[in-house]
Amino acid sequence: YRAETLEQLAGSAPDSSTVIFEDNGIGQTVAIDFVSPRPYKTKFSPDMFNADASYNTFMGLGGMGLISLSDVMGNHRVNLAGNLYYSLEESNIMTSYYYLKHKTNYGVGLFHYKTYYRSSNWDMFSDRTYGGNIFASHPLSKFKRLDLTMNILGIERNVYTSSYYLYYDRPQYYYYESEKLEGVHSLNLQTEFVNDNTLWGYTGPARGTRYKFNFEHSPQVSFSDVSYSIFEMDYRKYFRIDNKYNFITRVGFGASFGK
């Protein structure tokens, strides 16, 4: 189209429409379509997806999956991840939602974890941790931010005591007796001041400095079985050597009080 044709086309378009122009590659601009503006609607699409299956002699058949969804404007993000085994009680599941439209980011999450340990006498015990949290993150500058989190969680412990039979002409036969201990419930408030100006390489941070100050407090309330305070400091410095090697220094400090 020539310039006067474009002007006529733009003038004939409805008031609520927009003409889309495109360079045809030889220095001429052509009108290719009309677009009627519409209100933005949130529509999620996957950013990342991963899934696999596994088998081991302790847990049996299992699967792992991770999916992260967001909208085209980046205002909302949903994450769902899990390690699934033969029952939900034995599985690890985490889901979270982030609202990222404004300068301060907000989020909520739910989680369930089951972890097995060995005690000093080689008996086994497991901790089932479940609960939820709400959190907010506010940037103070390009590299500094302040994070606030409130967690509500419960911990249930099972103890598996081993016993065995010994026959003179046969091997030893082991078995485990399970005992569920009284659970613990907690409400804790956590705040973190974070500074991070690191530059990342293929495997992680390669240059720069990261440090954080963390304070966590669990108040004495009716449904909480514990009351404590924790202070932690973590400082890390990353050096890049000859673009092939990383040298990292780390200093940490922590203290806890309460019961």
Side-chain angles (χ1 to χ4, degrees):
Y1 297 94
R2 293 183 299 178
E4 55 269 21
T5 306
L6 293 176
E7 293 177 358
Q8 295 175 1
L9 184 59
S12 62
D15 294 337
S16 59
S17 299
T18 301
V19 180
I20 297 179
F21 299 100
E22 183 180 85
D23 191 336
N24 63 2
I26 58 174
Q28 296 180 348
T29 303
V30 296
I32 58 173
D33 201 358
F34 288 116
V35 174
S36 298
R38 292 176 295 176
Y40 174 72
K41 294 183 179 180
T42 301
K43 184 178 181 180
F44 288 96
S45 61
D47 295 327
M48 179 173 59
F49 176 76
N50 181 35
D52 58 50
S54 64
Y55 176 82
N56 64 71
T57 56
F58 184 77
M59 299 298 298
L61 186 65
M64 182 185 73
L66 167 67
I67 186 170
S68 180
L69 307 170
S70 68
D71 66 325
V72 69
M73 297 296 293
N75 295 334
H76 309 271
R77 179 172 296 278
V78 177
N79 298 320
L80 177 62
N83 294 329
L84 304 178
Y85 296 104
Y86 55 85
S87 70
L88 289 178
E89 184 175 343
E90 300 293 332
S91 300
N92 301 323
I93 302 173
M94 183 277 293
T95 182
S96 60
Y97 165 74
Y98 296 88
Y99 181 69
L100 309 173
K101 185 175 182 179
H102 302 293
K103 183 177 181 180
T104 302
N105 298 327
Y106 302 94
V108 296
L110 296 172
F111 55 86
H112 176 279
Y113 305 112
K114 185 70 174 287
T115 309
Y116 285 85
Y117 304 93
R118 285 281 190 182
S119 62
S120 58
N121 63 352
W122 286 94
D123 286 336
M124 296 180 60
F125 66 94
S126 66
D127 284 342
R128 176 172 172 254
T129 306
Y130 56 90
N133 50 41
I134 58 176
F135 41 86
S137 180
H138 180 78
L140 304 175
S141 66
K142 187 175 183 179
F143 303 112
K144 296 180 176 64
R145 71 178 188 269
L146 184 66
D147 297 337
L148 301 173
T149 307
M150 183 179 72
N151 297 291
I152 300 177
L153 59 89
I155 302 176
E156 296 179 356
R157 173 165 293 184
N158 279 18
V159 177
Y160 306 91
T161 306
S162 61
S163 301
Y164 66 91
Y165 290 108
L166 178 61
Y167 294 92
Y168 293 102
D169 56 346
R170 298 181 183 179
Q172 298 174 356
Y173 289 87
Y174 289 86
Y175 68 94
Y176 286 93
E177 295 179 346
S178 176
E179 178 185 1
K180 180 175 289 188
L181 304 182
E182 185 176 354
V184 175
H185 299 86
S186 173
L187 166 70
N188 62 71
L189 307 173
Q190 183 176 357
T191 178
E192 286 186 345
F193 172 77
V194 181
N195 179 85
D196 188 348
N197 62 6
T198 54
L199 296 176
W200 281 61
Y202 288 109
T203 58
R207 293 186 178 91
T209 303
R210 307 170 80 184
Y211 62 83
K212 73 173 183 178
F213 297 94
N214 174 54
F215 178 74
E216 180 179 336
H217 177 66
S218 179
Q220 186 68 58
V221 293
S222 59
F223 60 86
S224 181
D225 301 318
V226 294
S227 177
Y228 63 86
S229 298
I230 297 175
F231 173 77
E232 295 176 319
M233 183 274 291
D234 190 334
Y235 178 90
R236 308 179 189 188
K237 181 71 174 179
Y238 301 86
F239 302 90
R240 188 72 166 176
I241 303 174
D242 194 28
N243 289 326
K244 295 181 180 180
Y245 306 98
N246 291 337
F247 181 76
I248 305 167
T249 60
R250 180 180 181 185
V251 178
F253 171 81
S256 61
F257 312 90
K259 59 181 180 178

